[in-house]
Amino acid sequence: MDNVDYKAVRRAALALSLKSDEERVAMLLAVADALDARRQEIEKANALDIDQARRQGMGEALIHRLALPSSKLDGAIAGVRAVAAQKSPVGLVRQRRLLDEGLVLEQVTYPIGVIGMIFEARPDALIQIVSLAIKSANGLILKGGREAQRTNACLVDIIRSCLDGAPFIALISSHEDVDVMLRMEGEVDLIIPRGSASFVRHVMDNTHIPVLGHADGICSVYIHSQANLDEAVAIAVDSKVQYPAACNAAETILVDRAIAPRFIPAFQKALREYGVIIHADGEAMENLEKGKDVVPATEADFDTEYLALALALKVVGNLDEALEHIAAHSSHHTDAIVTEDAEAKARFFREVDSADVFCNCSTRFADGYRFGLGAEVGISTSKIHARGPVGLEGLVTTKWQLSGSGQLVASYSGPGARSFIHRELEP
Amino acid sequence: MDNVDYKAVRRAALALSLKSDEERVAMLLAVADALDARRQEIEKANALDIDQARRQGMGEALIHRLALPSSKLDGAIAGVRAVAAQKSPVGLVRQRRLLDEGLVLEQVTYPIGVIGMIFEARPDALIQIVSLAIKSANGLILKGGREAQRTNACLVDIIRSCLDGAPFIALISSHEDVDVMLRMEGEVDLIIPRGSASFVRHVMDNTHIPVLGHADGICSVYIHSQANLDEAVAIAVDSKVQYPAACNAAETILVDRAIAPRFIPAFQKALREYGVIIHADGEAMENLEKGKDVVPATEADFDTEYLALALALKVVGNLDEALEHIAAHSSHHTDAIVTEDAEAKARFFREVDSADVFCNCSTRFADGYRFGLGAEVGISTSKIHARGPVGLEGLVTTKWQLSGSGQLVASYSGPGARSFIHRELEP
């Protein structure tokens, strides 16, 4: 177990928040320079992590996530500089209102405080998360994947060495530490867990601290009767195969009955290039060529996050049936429709209750970088606070600041009471 | 137990969200008219509730909250019309960004879905909550105080009769129903409990549904060395006595050592008019006249929400000590400073980690109506989602809507990859 002084992290986070944005930008640029200057150490530590992972029989997909080659490190360093260049998310006046003469209310953004961040194998995620935390002036309790232990320790060492020890960051390493953190209500303000659905659910079920994130990523693409056929095939394929292990990869393809006889054979042909297994419902089956790539779907298939080259395929009678299926089975992460019909698109956008609703593009666009948020700490399926990819904006809260000149509430009630003015002022 | 069909409430809430704001405004005006037309029924039901409460020995303060006389009903009806007149909180485009040619991202506000609302004796709160729910197009599971049972039933009956049964509202009445609701994850999106600190804590500890609200309301007023003396006395008195049972009433007064010999005697004199008991620390005691209104403070007094004509009084050495005391004892609801010193004010605003931070005015201003939010469903001390008084803005979430023309993520990686444009557009 690591000995984390949570109160010290909070004090250091407060000190970070009292710095100016210029100072925090200088810190970020120092981190970027140091990572660049000490890349040999990073590569060495990463090579040791990869060696051990290989010896322990880790699969190539996970090794790929764990690896931090020069190209990925370049991207991560560029990411730090990009976060530095973004507008400061703290100290923004969101609203300003004159309540009465000499009584002005302001709603101002502030850092959330201390964020508990649990992430998986990818060590480049650590760089992204630390950058966002510095820019938004939050403290961090960080738990990285055990596989990336040496790489993470090396990265944190570099960050500490150029930021006076960076006391607003604490690193924890064991599951026991995570369990301690989950009980730190009042000391940790928000927990963002990334990892398997069962792990995220474990976190959500075992803490009273607010949790931002998502357990399952059961995303669907609905091919509407008025879809452009070629576009529909390409989008459904990209949504599945471009990175099947991602939470925003599609797991279910819904096909309108009217277009099924044309869409399904073309889709099957395209999927065969990638070796995708199709779990098909009865009606979809009628349009598929028999083969090793086709198996009958069970009900459970439509609630399964394959995270692999497999998908569930179902024929629906119309948009209403598609909406019903999505309401019943979606994990409210990302759902897409392919259609040329504006009214079908509008209904899909309004009625699908998911963080991201897309039309005529791949579900894989659901990502903070692609959305132009600069970077993301994760993707939230909660409707509370940040929803969808969470960047800097999701890491701030607000305070109501009221500046008066002796006003009493008693003056606003009873006979001869004053009235409020409630006039909006420029923020 | 009431038989609530949660899925039916969700369907009805979706239908409400598909209406236009004009239609929802018409609904609100119909409710206002119906409440006005049927006020005799309401008064009769309320009289029965009050009779029973009196027979059961309810105190006058609670009876006062329970009572819905014509003047209060007028205010509540005016409140419905005021909510109707506010800008619709749903369907607002918060951000619009060109990701690439023909690929436009929008962040749009939507209702949260179904909100579980538990409130205390005041039946006018029901009218306020229903208005906010209709305007923001959310479904409601409502649990009112048992004391106001007849009044609430009458109000809901009137609302249903002019809104085709208002199927987006369900009324529950027992603690067992509340326990069922707390387990309705996926069916209820947000719970807003109002009531005693222990009840709110019970709700927070027994559900995985997000909870918005506050348990304790331990608010403080810090009299800085550079305070205007008369203003300081008046603000501290108003913060305590204007409505001692409110969550935004002050429980603790911190006095700077430099001003204590002048402030404390004047404060005591003013408090005596209202019969306020002072729990004083040793140093404060030195400046107080002995009497029945003064008792020595224990450590527990500084963590006590009196909700009555009593307060804790402490002398602090300087601003730092005041900030430390607030960090250790405040419930992060509302804290105020009285000072003429701009730097002291600025530090107090930046460093006090509470939903509301005030300078030179009463803590009692912490209220959705006074803040100009139109009305409030409650006050949140959470840093996640809405913080402070929660009006219409706290009842919406957002969706990311991405409209494409066949874009694939594969086109943005590898050799010859497309780049994102990421250009902000007018929302």
Side-chain angles (χ1 to χ4, degrees), chain B residues 125-183:
Chain B
L126 184 146
I127 299 173
Q128 209 175 73
I129 291 158
V130 168
S131 313
L132 291 169
I134 293 174
K135 184 75 181 179
S136 60
N138 282 291
L140 272 183
I141 312 291
L142 271 178
K143 161 81 173 69
R146 197 176 290 257
E147 324 75 48
Q149 218 170 334
R150 292 180 193 83
T151 317
N152 289 340
C154 174
L155 292 171
V156 169
D157 181 55
I158 293 171
I159 292 164
R160 287 204 197 287
S161 72
C162 63
L163 297 182
D164 295 327
F168 53 88
I169 301 174
L171 205 62
I172 59 176
S173 51
S174 71
H175 280 293
E176 291 74 30
D177 291 320
V178 171
D179 289 338
V180 168
M181 179 172 77
L182 297 183
R183 292 192 296 270

Side-chain angles (χ1 to χ4, degrees), chain A residues 97 112 238 345 349 352 355 357 359-360 370-371 383 385 387 397-400 402-404 406 409-410 422, chain B residues 97 112 238 345 349 352 355 357 359-360 370-371 383 385 387 397-400 402-404 406 409-410 422:
Chain A
R97 188 176 294 130
I112 286 179
D238 188 82
K345 171 188 165 181
F349 276 15
V352 171
V357 287
C359 179
N360 294 343
R370 292 178 196 126
F371 272 15
K383 294 184 181 178
H385 198 66
R387 194 182 192 198
T397 182
T398 56
K399 276 188 214 174
W400 292 102
L402 183 59
S403 301
V409 164
H422 287 158
Chain B
R97 188 177 295 129
I112 285 180
D238 188 82
K345 172 187 164 181
F349 276 16
V352 171
V357 287
C359 180
N360 294 343
R370 294 180 195 123
F371 272 16
K383 293 183 181 179
H385 198 67
R387 194 182 192 198
T397 183
T398 56
K399 276 187 215 176
W400 292 103
L402 183 59
S403 301
V409 163
H422 287 159

Side-chain angles (χ1 to χ4, degrees), chain A residues 222 224-226 319-320 323 337-352 359-360, chain B residues 18:
Chain A
Y222 165 50
H224 182 247
S225 59
Q226 302 302 310
L319 176 58
D320 286 306
L323 292 172
I337 182 173
V338 184
T339 185
E340 300 298 311
D341 182 83
E343 184 44 35
K345 171 188 165 181
R347 277 198 64 200
F348 191 89
F349 276 15
R350 278 199 307 262
E351 298 186 32
V352 171
C359 179
N360 294 343
Chain B
L18 298 177

Side-chain angles (χ1 to χ4, degrees), chain B residues 4-65:
Chain B
V4 174
D5 183 344
Y6 282 84
K7 287 194 193 299
V9 173
R10 180 170 295 276
R11 276 194 305 274
L14 175 63
L16 178 63
S17 79
L18 298 177
K19 289 181 190 286
S20 66
D21 184 54
E22 289 69 32
E23 289 172 285
R24 288 188 290 266
V25 167
M27 290 167 71
L28 286 166
L29 298 181
V31 168
D33 290 344
L35 292 172
D36 198 20
R38 293 171 64 179
R39 52 172 69 223
Q40 283 188 315
E41 284 170 60
I42 300 169
E43 282 165 27
K44 214 165 132 188
N46 192 238
L48 290 172
D49 279 334
I50 292 175
D51 269 3
Q52 175 163 335
R54 281 236 163 77
R55 269 184 281 117
Q56 293 175 347
M58 187 184 273
E60 277 310 305
L62 278 176
I63 297 272
H64 181 72
R65 291 164 77 84

Side-chain angles (χ1 to χ4, degrees), chain A residues 262-312:
Chain A
R262 287 176 294 141
F263 173 80
I264 291 177
F267 186 46
Q268 181 178 28
K269 195 173 157 216
L271 289 179
R272 279 187 169 165
E273 279 185 44
Y274 300 93
V276 178
I277 304 297
I278 302 172
H279 299 255
D281 83 331
E283 200 172 336
M285 204 62 101
E286 294 168 18
N287 296 288
L288 286 162
E289 207 179 86
K290 277 183 191 144
K292 277 192 288 188
D293 60 331
V294 178
V295 292
T298 62
E299 253 314 296
D301 278 311
F302 295 101
D303 297 312
T304 299
E305 187 177 13
Y306 297 105
L307 295 171
L309 291 170
L311 58 78

